[in-house]
């Protein structure tokens, strides 16, 4: 029995020594790194208490709401102790928001010193990993989002922000005792009329920046929200506007209602620039909303200061460049809209300030664009010169003004050597490719216009020096140069009229005191079913046709030469045809040389009498010599 007990005790002692040896093998080395794991090249394997957190695993992240640090999780760790500039935080995850944790004090110098220790119950803490980080820049706060607008109360939400800047019609609204507005709703029912609202989250100046602004309008009834209009400026042919808070893009609408879209990310430091190319007239710029609670800006009249001046008689709009003259269409478009609801709106006044050379604006053979909007105002050319004008038109009739309405005036402009060519695109289409320098229709007053060295060629329309159809007043105008009617290439094409001043003087029209210097009017040989013929007819040195109720008086000419014209139509130095009820008076006018198809004075051609005269070719009305 004693022998068996002795053997048992020896076995127990050996087992105890074996256990003690295994424990010893698992203890950490003096440097605190723990035993070496499998495959590490040292020891015979085993499991460490815990892997330490490696410095490379720490990263700092900036996002829209906070500074954050993140690290890789340690094997076997169940928690972490993080010390930030002396402030201690215990947590189970591997991310820490520096701004949102109330236990962490934010340093004024933005320098953060981190110490991270992995922990687990029953195990020794890992060795600390440290890192220093200096925050760069600030965090931009999220923009407020509109939640609702009901019964005049506007409500919004904004994550991470507690203070707001709120402006209503430019005036700041603040919470009592604060420099900011701290609520997330405002009652607008106490305000009267339409409102402009600006709202953004206010940063603290150290760790957060102000959010992008949300700008919008409130209608008069306080029932809906719309995007605010930007402020537009024009300089050197470039349209600029400020970014509107909450806009995802902008519709740039020209006066012809064509639209080009500009996206929000095209802004440069909060400003947009749109090249007008000396041609495009923008009617307005209209932001589209990124917030479904705010409607897009409607296309309504906007005021753009294309021209200097106020447009009054004492402060007219000033025209200094070719584009400035083009801008007349913008102001007249706005005027036409205003008088629909306010008929007493004063008309616009314009004045040309200096000579304008159009050769600097050559583009595709045409360097001046016709003014298609009806003209209601007064344009004083101030005796300035428009030179270098070149037109190659293929889109219907051409004249500087399409229509001058009753009460409007265009005066005192000199056109130096204008070159205008107009033709139909397809000779089978009934397009009027006529040419007139100033206006196609005139119901107002055209006064003191001078045209020297004109070179006009039409193919498919009439040619006249000042205007095509007049029911207003054309006086004291001067024309010289050369008019030519080209063929359109269609067999049996029409023959067209020409006149030095007015093509057709209608009822109420007055053509008085005008003069033509040296002017040639030439036709071309067209092809017909029975042969060739000339393609111009009814040619007048001053007026082609004077209708019933029209008056032509005291006009002069020096030398008018008509060649290659049809011989069985009217031609006259003053008027080709004075219709019944029309009145023509030579008066103080001076009659010069008038030559028709190489023959001065009355002549015959074939078996027909040519209605041709130095004064009136054919007279069915009243003529006083």
């Amino acid at each position: 029995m004693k022998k068996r007990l002795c053997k048992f005790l020896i076995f127990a002692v050996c087992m105890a020594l074996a256990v003690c040896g295994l424990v010893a093998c698992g203890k950490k080395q003096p440097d605190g790194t723990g035993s070496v794991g499998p495959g590490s090249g040292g020891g015979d394997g085993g499991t460490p208490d815990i892997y330490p957190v490696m410095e490379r695993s720490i990263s700092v992240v900036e996002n829209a709401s906070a500074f954050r640090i993140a690290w890789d999780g340690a094997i076997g760790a169940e928690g972490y102790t993080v010390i930030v500039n002396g402030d201690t935080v215990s947590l189970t995850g591997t991310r820490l928001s520096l701004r949102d944790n109330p236990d962490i004090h934010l340093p004024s110098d933005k320098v953060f010193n981190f110490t991270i220790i992995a922990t687990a119950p029953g195990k020794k803490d890992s060795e600390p990993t440290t890192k220093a980080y200096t925050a760069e820049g600030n965090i931009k706060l999220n923009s407020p989002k509109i939640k609702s607008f009901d019964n005049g109360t506007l409500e919004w939400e904004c994550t991470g922000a507690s203070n707001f800047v709120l402006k209503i019609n430019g005036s700041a609204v603040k919470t009592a005792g604060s420099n900011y507005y701290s609520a997330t709703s405002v009652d607008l029912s106490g305000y009267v009329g339409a409102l402009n609202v600006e709202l953004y989250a206010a940063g603290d100046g150290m760790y957060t920046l102000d959010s992008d602004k949300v700008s919008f309008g409130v209608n008069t009834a306080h029932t809906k929200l719309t995007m605010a209009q930007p402020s537009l400026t024009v300089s050197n042919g470039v349209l600029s506007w400020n970014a509107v808070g909450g806009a995802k893009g902008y519709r740039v609408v020209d006066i012809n209602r064509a639209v080009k879209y500009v996206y929000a990310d095209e802004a440069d430091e909060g400003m947009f620039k749109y090249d007008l190319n000396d041609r495009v007239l923008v009617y307005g710029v209209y932001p589209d909303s990124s917030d479904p609670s705010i409607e897009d800006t409607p296309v309504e009249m906007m005021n753009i200061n294309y021209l200097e001046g106020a447009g009054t008689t004492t402060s007219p709009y000033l025209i200094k460049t070719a584009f400035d003259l083009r801008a007349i269409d913008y102001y007249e478009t706005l005027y036409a809209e205003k008088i629909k609801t306010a008929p007493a709106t004063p008309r616009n006044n314009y004045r040309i300030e200096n000579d304008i050379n159009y050769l600097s604006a050559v583009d595709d053979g045409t360097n001046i664009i016709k003014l298609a909007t009806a003209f209601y105002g007064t344009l004083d050319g101030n005796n300035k010169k428009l030179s270098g004008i070149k037109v190659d038109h293929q889109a219907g009739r051409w004249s500087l003004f399409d229509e001058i309405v009753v009460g409007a005036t265009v005066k005192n402009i000199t056109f130096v050597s204008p070159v205008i060519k107009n033709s139909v695109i397809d000779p089978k289409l009934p397009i009027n490719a006529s040419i007139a320098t100033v206006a196609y229709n005139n119901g107002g007053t055209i006064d003191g216009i001078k045209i020297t060295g004109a070179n006009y060629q039409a193919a498919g329309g009439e040619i006249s020096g000042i205007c095509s159809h007049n029911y207003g007043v054309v006086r004291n105008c001067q024309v010289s140069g050369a008019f030519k009617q080209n063929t359109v290439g269609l067999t049996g094409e029409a023959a067209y009229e020409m006149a030095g001043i007015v093509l057709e003087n209608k009822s109420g029209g007055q053509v008085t005191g005008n003069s033509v210097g040296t002017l040639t009017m030439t036709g071309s040989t067209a092809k017909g079913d029975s042969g060739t013929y000339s393609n111009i007819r009814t040619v007048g040195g001053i007026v082609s046709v004077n209708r019933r109720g029209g008056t032509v008086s005291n006009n002069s000419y020096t030398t008018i030469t008509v060649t290659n014209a049809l011989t069985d139509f009217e031609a006259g130095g003053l008027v080709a045809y004075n219709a019944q009820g029309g009145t023509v008076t030579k008066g103080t006018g001076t009659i010069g040389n008038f030559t028709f198809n190489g023959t001065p004075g009355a002549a015959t051609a074939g078996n027909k009498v040519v209605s041709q005269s130095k004064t009136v070719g054919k007279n069915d009305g009243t003529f006083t010599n």
Side-chain angles (χ1 to χ4, degrees):
M1 182 72 180
K2 290 183 180 179
K3 186 175 181 180
R4 290 181 180 176
L5 179 60
C6 181
K7 289 182 179 181
F8 177 79
L9 291 174
I10 293 173
F11 176 77
V13 170
C14 290
M15 289 297 294
L17 290 173
V19 171
C20 291
L22 289 175
V23 172
C25 289
K27 288 187 176 180
K28 292 189 176 184
Q29 304 301 317
D31 62 2
T33 60
S35 59
V36 181
S40 64
D44 57 355
T47 302
D49 291 333
I50 195 165
Y51 280 103
V53 182
M54 303 304 294
E55 182 174 340
R56 64 177 174 79
S57 67
I58 300 175
S59 62
V60 178
V61 180
E62 289 186 61
N63 64 15
S65 61
F67 290 140
R68 291 180 179 176
I69 57 172
W71 58 93
D72 294 335
I75 297 176
E78 296 186 20
Y80 299 90
T81 298
V82 183
I83 304 171
V84 182
N85 292 351
D87 296 326
T88 302
V89 179
S90 296
L91 64 163
T92 57
T94 58
R95 292 178 180 271
L96 174 62
S97 173
L98 302 173
R99 293 189 60 250
D100 295 342
N101 195 300
D103 295 325
I104 296 177
H105 296 84
L106 300 178
S108 60
D109 58 3
K110 297 186 182 180
V111 176
F112 296 88
N113 293 289
F114 305 113
T115 298
I116 304 176
I117 302 170
T119 64
K123 295 184 179 182
K124 185 177 180 180
D125 296 343
S126 72
E127 292 294 321
T129 295
T130 61
K131 184 178 179 67
Y133 174 76
T134 301
E136 296 180 359
N138 301 81
I139 300 168
K140 179 181 283 189
L141 293 172
N142 292 318
S143 296
K145 295 293 184 182
I146 305 301
K147 290 181 62 177
S148 64
F149 183 52
D150 188 25
N151 294 324
T153 298
L154 176 68
E155 186 177 0
W156 63 90
E157 60 185 0
C158 187
T159 304
S162 57
N163 290 316
F164 302 92
V165 173
L166 173 64
K167 294 182 180 180
I168 300 177
N169 289 342
S171 297
V173 181
K174 301 178 182 179
T175 300
S178 172
N179 290 325
Y180 302 102
Y181 191 79
S182 57
T184 56
S185 65
V186 62
D187 186 359
L188 301 176
S189 61
Y191 292 86
V192 178
L195 307 175
N196 291 313
V197 178
E198 182 179 277
L199 175 66
Y200 59 92
D204 58 19
M206 175 58 68
Y207 290 93
T208 57
L209 296 175
D210 295 345
S211 74
D212 290 331
K213 297 177 181 178
V214 179
S215 303
F216 52 91
V218 180
N219 67 337
T220 303
H222 296 178
T223 56
K224 67 178 182 178
L225 310 178
T226 59
M227 290 297 295
Q229 289 185 339
S231 176
L232 308 180
T233 59
V234 177
S235 178
N236 298 321
V238 176
L239 175 69
S240 302
W241 69 90
N242 59 290
V244 174
K248 64 182 179 183
Y250 303 82
R251 288 163 290 147
V252 181
V253 182
D254 68 19
I255 60 172
N256 297 318
R257 296 305 190 268
V259 179
K260 181 175 181 180
Y261 203 82
V262 176
Y263 292 92
D265 59 5
E266 297 180 41
D268 183 8
E269 296 184 354
M271 292 295 297
F272 293 86
K273 296 185 182 299
Y274 186 85
D275 190 355
L276 300 172
N277 296 315
D278 286 338
R279 290 178 167 270
V280 178
L281 284 175
V282 172
Y283 179 80
V285 177
Y286 307 92
D288 287 343
S289 176
S290 60
D291 190 323
S293 301
I294 303 175
E295 297 182 6
D296 298 340
T297 303
V299 177
E300 296 175 348
M301 182 173 58
M302 296 186 69
N303 290 317
I304 304 175
N305 293 325
Y306 282 109
L307 302 176
E308 296 178 31
T312 64
T313 54
T314 56
S315 178
Y317 291 124
L318 302 182
I319 295 172
K320 301 178 181 180
T321 68
F323 182 74
D324 290 348
L325 189 65
R326 168 86 175 109
I328 288 176
D329 252 0
Y330 170 80
Y331 289 93
E332 293 303 294
T333 297
L334 266 58
Y335 177 80
E337 293 185 4
K338 289 178 181 178
I339 60 176
K340 293 177 182 177
T341 55
T345 301
R347 300 188 184 213
N348 295 320
N349 289 266
Y350 309 84
R351 186 175 70 224
I352 299 177
E353 286 295 280
N354 47 259
D355 295 340
I356 300 174
N357 185 350
Y358 276 81
L359 286 178
S360 61
V362 172
D363 181 21
D364 297 331
T366 297
N367 56 20
I368 184 171
I369 298 179
K370 64 182 293 184
L371 303 176
T373 301
F375 185 70
Y376 291 83
T378 294
L379 171 61
D380 183 357
N382 200 20
N383 296 315
K384 301 302 180 182
K385 298 176 181 179
L386 306 182
S387 61
I389 291 175
K390 290 187 176 182
V391 174
D392 190 351
H393 196 63
Q394 293 183 335
R397 63 202 191 203
W398 196 95
S399 56
L400 180 58
F401 291 92
D402 197 55
E403 182 173 6
I404 299 173
V405 304
V406 175
T409 299
V410 176
K411 61 182 181 180
N412 304 331
I413 306 173
T414 297
F415 294 81
V416 180
S417 302
V419 178
I420 302 176
K421 183 179 180 180
N422 196 5
S423 58
V424 296
I425 300 174
D426 184 342
K428 298 179 181 180
L429 296 176
I431 295 177
N432 182 359
S434 67
I435 295 173
T437 311
V438 181
Y440 182 77
N441 288 312
N442 174 53
T445 299
I446 300 175
D447 187 3
I449 303 299
K450 297 179 182 179
I451 301 168
T452 64
N455 181 356
Y456 297 167
Q457 297 184 48
E462 299 86 1
I463 301 178
S464 52
I466 299 299
C467 76
S468 296
H469 306 283
N470 177 58
Y471 53 96
V473 177
V474 177
R475 65 189 179 204
N476 304 323
C477 296
Q478 302 175 25
V479 175
S480 66
F483 299 164
K484 184 180 180 181
Q485 184 63 240
N486 295 322
T487 61
V488 298
L490 181 68
T491 299
E493 67 181 272
Y496 295 91
E497 301 173 31
M498 288 187 181
I501 302 295
V502 172
L503 190 81
E504 180 187 28
N505 192 41
K506 303 172 77 172
S507 178
Q510 301 176 44
V511 181
T512 181
N514 304 283
S515 66
V516 170
T518 298
L519 179 65
T520 61
M521 293 185 277
T522 307
S524 296
T525 300
K527 296 180 180 179
D529 293 333
S530 58
T532 60
Y533 60 94
S534 300
N535 66 347
I536 60 170
R537 62 175 179 82
T538 315
V539 180
I542 302 298
V543 172
S544 178
V545 177
N546 186 42
R547 299 292 184 188
R548 177 185 293 273
T551 301
V552 180
S553 62
N554 304 321
N555 298 283
S556 305
Y557 65 88
T558 302
T559 301
I560 297 175
T561 303
V562 181
T563 59
N564 205 15
L566 285 173
T567 57
D568 52 355
F569 283 88
E570 307 84 9
L574 290 179
V575 175
Y577 174 52
N578 184 34
Q580 184 177 13
T583 301
V584 178
T585 302
K586 173 180 174 293
T588 59
T590 300
I591 304 300
N593 298 315
F594 180 76
T595 302
F596 180 81
N597 284 347
T599 304
T604 59
N607 296 322
K608 295 182 179 181
V609 176
V610 178
S611 299
Q612 185 262 71
S613 168
K614 287 187 173 184
T615 53
V616 178
K618 181 179 180 181
N619 180 42
D620 288 337
T622 300
F623 170 65
T624 303
N625 196 350

